[in-house]
Amino acid sequence: MSSTVVQRADERRHLDYGWLTARHSFPFAGNFDHAAYAHGLLLVNNDDIIEADSGFDTHQHRDTEIVTWVLSGSLVHQDSAGHSGVIHRGLAQRMSAGSGILHSERNDRWRADGTRVTEPVHLVQMWIPPDESGVTPSYQELDINSELDGGGLITLASGMPAHRDHSAISLHNKHAALHVARLETGGSVFLPDAPYVHGFVASGTVDVEGVGLLGAGDSLRLKDTGGHLVQGIDDAEILVWEMHASAN
């Protein structure tokens, strides 16, 4: 049965720790089964703002595909497999936790060039399950700023065979792909026609065919609804998961 669910930005769980302002599209904090609350394969969609000289200290993950997308500022990643990187706007990162990995994510006080950081980093972090457990942990990043400037729906990360030849980050799940679009005022894209689609408005305002206006922080959960036209009411950025299986 088809369904359309809109979650407004102010309906998300909001947590303010001083150093971190977090807004969760799905239940996140606590010890529970994320899959029970998933939409399709999407387990987590966290909208976080981390203040300077703050962040998530070393912690462990296992059997999770974690994609991080920065909206402003930059985030420093380090992990126990020897991977490190500075993630900025337009550069996505995927960490496959696989058999187990320790990592930290921080908005450091100092950059490598000696510049002192005072601004927060604003990011969206998304989790999906792998379709094979216990893989070797891995890390990948990709800058797609130039592709996004074209205004279309760009495949950022995918495990789907249809995207095997695309220049996208790989995911260890053959049923999922993440697309991103930066829309200028009046620009438009079509959402994928898939059993499960999750659209998140990272910035700006869009008009979704058959749904209406969505603003920054709003999200859309579609199930078997077919494709929808999305038009930018002003300059906007959207994150779209295309999923052909469900975690629950």
Side-chain angles (χ1 to χ4, degrees):
M1 180 181 296
S2 65
S3 63
T4 300
V5 176
V6 173
Q7 182 187 56
R8 296 298 178 183
D10 60 3
E11 295 173 345
R12 299 173 296 173
R13 187 179 187 194
H14 177 205
L15 300 173
D16 191 343
Y17 297 103
W19 65 272
L20 168 69
T21 301
R23 292 174 173 84
H24 301 158
S25 298
F26 299 89
F28 180 71
N31 184 18
F32 61 91
D33 182 5
H34 284 98
Y37 298 92
H39 175 68
L41 293 165
L42 187 59
L43 309 174
V44 168
N45 188 91
N46 288 353
D47 182 355
D48 291 339
I49 297 175
I50 303 171
E51 299 300 322
D53 195 31
S54 300
F56 298 97
D57 292 328
T58 301
H59 57 285
Q60 186 174 36
H61 292 286
R62 182 183 297 273
D63 286 330
T64 310
E65 300 289 288
I66 301 173
V67 180
T68 302
W69 181 250
V70 168
L71 304 178
S72 63
S74 58
L75 185 74
V76 178
H77 166 95
Q78 293 181 314
D79 65 46
S80 57
H83 309 118
S84 63
V86 179
I87 314 163
H88 53 76
R89 176 170 163 79
L91 183 147
Q93 176 233 58
R94 183 268 297 150
M95 185 182 76
S96 294
S99 58
I101 195 169
L102 297 168
H103 81 138
S104 63
E105 300 162 296
R106 295 189 58 83
N107 183 3
D108 277 359
R109 178 180 294 178
W110 301 98
R111 293 290 177 253
D113 62 1
T115 304
R116 184 181 176 90
V117 177
T118 58
E119 73 274 10
V121 55
H122 185 186
L123 62 97
V124 181
Q125 188 169 94
M126 299 151 282
W127 298 9
I128 67 167
D131 52 16
E132 178 184 357
S133 62
V135 301
T136 301
S138 61
Y139 175 95
Q140 192 176 0
E141 60 183 41
L142 180 69
D143 190 320
I144 62 167
N145 275 296
S146 59
E147 290 87 346
L148 285 172
D149 289 342
L153 195 64
I154 306 300
T155 303
L156 169 61
S158 179
M160 294 173 54
H163 301 136
R164 189 164 292 145
D165 296 330
H166 291 220
S167 57
I169 287 175
S170 61
L171 293 173
H172 292 96
N173 194 309
K174 61 181 176 292
H175 303 294
L178 172 62
H179 312 282
V180 185
R182 285 183 189 157
L183 297 173
E184 296 182 349
T185 302
S188 63
V189 293
F190 278 98
L191 297 181
D193 182 0
Y196 299 92
V197 172
H198 185 274
F200 177 75
V201 183
S203 63
T205 304
V206 299
D207 186 4
V208 181
E209 178 185 13
V211 178
L213 296 180
L214 299 180
D218 292 347
S219 59
L220 182 64
R221 303 179 189 185
L222 304 175
K223 182 179 178 182
D224 291 321
T225 62
H228 294 255
L229 179 69
V230 178
Q231 186 171 37
I233 299 302
D234 49 26
D235 290 354
E237 186 168 293
I238 59 172
L239 297 165
V240 180
W241 280 95
E242 172 188 356
M243 297 166 286
H244 296 264
S246 175
N248 51 32

